[in-house]
Amino acid sequence: MNERYSRQTLFSPIGEAGQEKVKQKHVLLLGAGALGTGSAEALVRAGIGTLTIIDRDYVEWSNLQRQQLYTESDATARLPKAVAAKNRLTELNSEVEIRAYVMDADPRELETMISGVDLMIDATDNFDARMVMNDLSQKHGIPWIYGACVSSYGISYTVLPGESPCLNCLLGQVPLGGLTCDTAGIISPAVQMVVAHQTAEALKILVEDWEAVRRKLVSFDLWANQHSAIGVSVMKNPDCPSCGEQRSYPYLSYDMQMKTAVLCGRDSVQIRPSTKQEWDLPSLADNLSRLSGTVERNPYLVSFTTGEKRMVLFKDGRALIHGTQDTAEAKTLYHKYFGS
Ligand SMILES: [Zn+2]
């Protein structure tokens, strides 16, 4: 056994046998923001076998206060988070296979990526993506760990399919809301606390210590000095469309429309075209450079700033339109500058 894991294998619930299990396991991490970078670093240092990281965004200066894998040069270069995270994680532990994807959590695509995955960790910033994970977890029998934080507050819950109530069962029963928006700001200890809960649960699941897995929903407010753990087992709903007897997995259904999403607290709209295509970024940048505005390009994206608006187009056709929360206006700008 590798010396680098000696302190972890001395911890008897893991031991050499547990370490060997961790090395065989594959974790899918959805999101590489604050929670995602924390979980990724912990799992990679712990010697996970394979880590898949999916993130749709790129590094900005406002991320550096709490998104622990990123550097000033990542923000200057506007590197996609998945790429910047992989760069850093590979430096931390070259034994781990890290698969990084710059993409949005599209249900169909996600479903093609989860074969062989032992555990999914939620590090997203929106409820839609969590409900997609929840349905995939139930459909494919893969545990997942919910986590969210805002200001000095955080919450975490572990879903074991076939046993615990799923997140859909808990909707409306326990307070899960109010966490989708980052307008309230956030302090890094709230992030670290959720990461600690999620990583501890992840290690239990990876070493298959099922009895140790926490069944309660935990939440805390570090500024108000409050902690709570809610027993939720009685909330399992036999009629739940995600985990009940008659299942429809409602969050996996998908219609072939251009999708827009307002990104909370960022005055931005994301646009995902209905069909995927590889964009020729150099020629797009060339076309845009003839218009009045500023064009910047790296191998992953083109950024175009004109007036109050900044538009970023990724290679797969996805775009972030900054400076508006109006989805119709964002779509108009997308068609105007990027065509299609
Ligand atoms: Zn359910």
Side-chain angles (χ1 to χ4, degrees):
M1 187 51 67
N2 200 321
E3 176 68 16
R4 82 193 289 156
Y5 306 119
S6 59
R7 298 304 185 274
Q8 190 163 280
T9 52
L10 275 172
F11 178 67
S12 60
I14 295 181
E16 301 268 330
Q19 188 65 42
E20 194 51 41
K21 283 183 179 159
V22 170
K23 191 181 156 194
Q24 305 302 325
K25 298 292 166 73
H26 181 176
V27 171
L28 183 144
L29 182 61
L30 194 55
L35 291 177
T37 52
S39 281
E41 178 166 346
L43 291 171
V44 163
R45 286 189 187 274
I48 183 76
T50 306
L51 182 68
T52 291
I53 303 171
I54 299 168
D55 193 278
R56 64 187 180 186
D57 214 344
Y58 57 91
V59 182
E60 294 180 278
W61 284 85
S62 62
N63 302 148
L64 299 182
Q65 163 246 5
R66 69 200 176 284
Q67 304 190 12
Q68 66 191 61
L69 294 174
Y70 305 133
T71 63
E72 293 187 351
S73 61
D74 295 332
T76 304
R78 290 189 181 131
L79 269 191
K81 290 183 179 178
V83 174
K86 183 179 177 174
N87 291 346
R88 180 88 176 117
L89 292 166
T90 306
E91 289 176 347
L92 298 179
N93 190 345
S94 59
E95 295 174 358
V96 177
E97 181 179 341
I98 295 158
R99 303 176 187 169
Y101 299 93
V102 185
M103 58 173 266
D104 194 27
D106 170 87
R108 278 189 188 177
E109 237 171 324
L110 260 186
E111 194 160 9
T112 66
M113 300 170 77
I114 58 168
S115 92
V117 166
D118 299 287
L119 169 69
M120 296 185 286
I121 296 181
D122 165 32
T124 65
D125 58 359
N126 68 89
F127 227 78
D128 286 349
R130 291 186 179 111
M131 298 312 283
V132 168
M133 271 186 123
N134 187 64
D135 273 359
L136 285 175
S137 153
Q138 294 300 327
K139 187 173 174 187
H140 296 275
I142 303 169
W144 77 284
I145 305 170
Y146 162 61
C149 50
V150 65
S151 57
S152 55
Y153 176 82
I155 186 167
S156 181
Y157 176 63
T158 304
V159 179
L160 298 176
E163 185 191 318
S164 32
C166 78
L167 201 65
N168 206 352
C169 292
L170 302 190
L171 279 185
Q173 306 253 15
V174 290
L176 300 169
L179 292 169
T180 53
C181 205
D182 61 0
T183 46
I186 186 156
I187 53 170
S188 64
V191 176
Q192 294 302 330
M193 186 69 103
V194 174
V195 167
H197 280 294
Q198 287 185 299
T199 311
E201 291 303 293
L203 288 171
K204 294 172 189 175
I205 289 170
L206 296 175
V207 303
E208 299 165 25
D209 188 354
W210 303 106
E211 279 187 16
V213 173
R214 181 175 17 78
R215 265 62 177 180
K216 291 184 173 176
L217 180 140
V218 291
S219 64
F220 59 82
D221 187 323
L222 292 173
W223 213 265
N225 307 313
Q226 293 166 347
H227 283 264
S228 80
I230 306 172
V232 293
S233 55
V234 295
M235 296 175 192
K236 190 159 176 68
N237 173 12
D239 299 322
C240 172
S242 296
C243 75
E245 279 141 37
Q246 304 280 329
R247 302 175 182 197
S248 58
Y249 306 119
Y251 294 90
L252 299 185
S253 67
Y254 183 81
D255 55 283
M256 296 299 285
Q257 301 269 314
M258 177 180 261
K259 294 286 202 307
T260 58
V262 179
L263 304 185
C264 278
R266 290 189 49 190
D267 199 25
S268 305
V269 174
Q270 173 179 252
I271 293 184
R272 200 169 67 204
S274 55
T275 49
K276 278 214 157 176
Q277 63 171 82
E278 278 277 295
W279 278 73
D280 179 354
L281 296 181
S283 46
L284 173 69
D286 195 44
N287 290 340
L288 291 171
S289 68
R290 295 187 199 114
L291 308 173
S292 75
T294 313
V295 183
E296 289 164 274
R297 177 167 74 84
N298 69 26
Y300 312 99
L301 55 85
V302 168
S303 166
F304 178 60
T305 308
T306 179
E308 302 283 285
K309 302 287 188 295
R310 186 159 62 86
M311 287 151 273
V312 175
L313 188 94
F314 290 83
K315 218 173 179 171
D316 63 0
R318 200 164 47 80
L320 295 175
I321 313 293
H322 302 290
T324 182
Q325 294 191 6
D326 179 342
T327 55
E329 184 188 22
K331 274 189 196 176
T332 305
L333 289 166
Y334 184 96
H335 291 305
K336 180 174 176 188
Y337 292 107
F338 304 140
S340 87

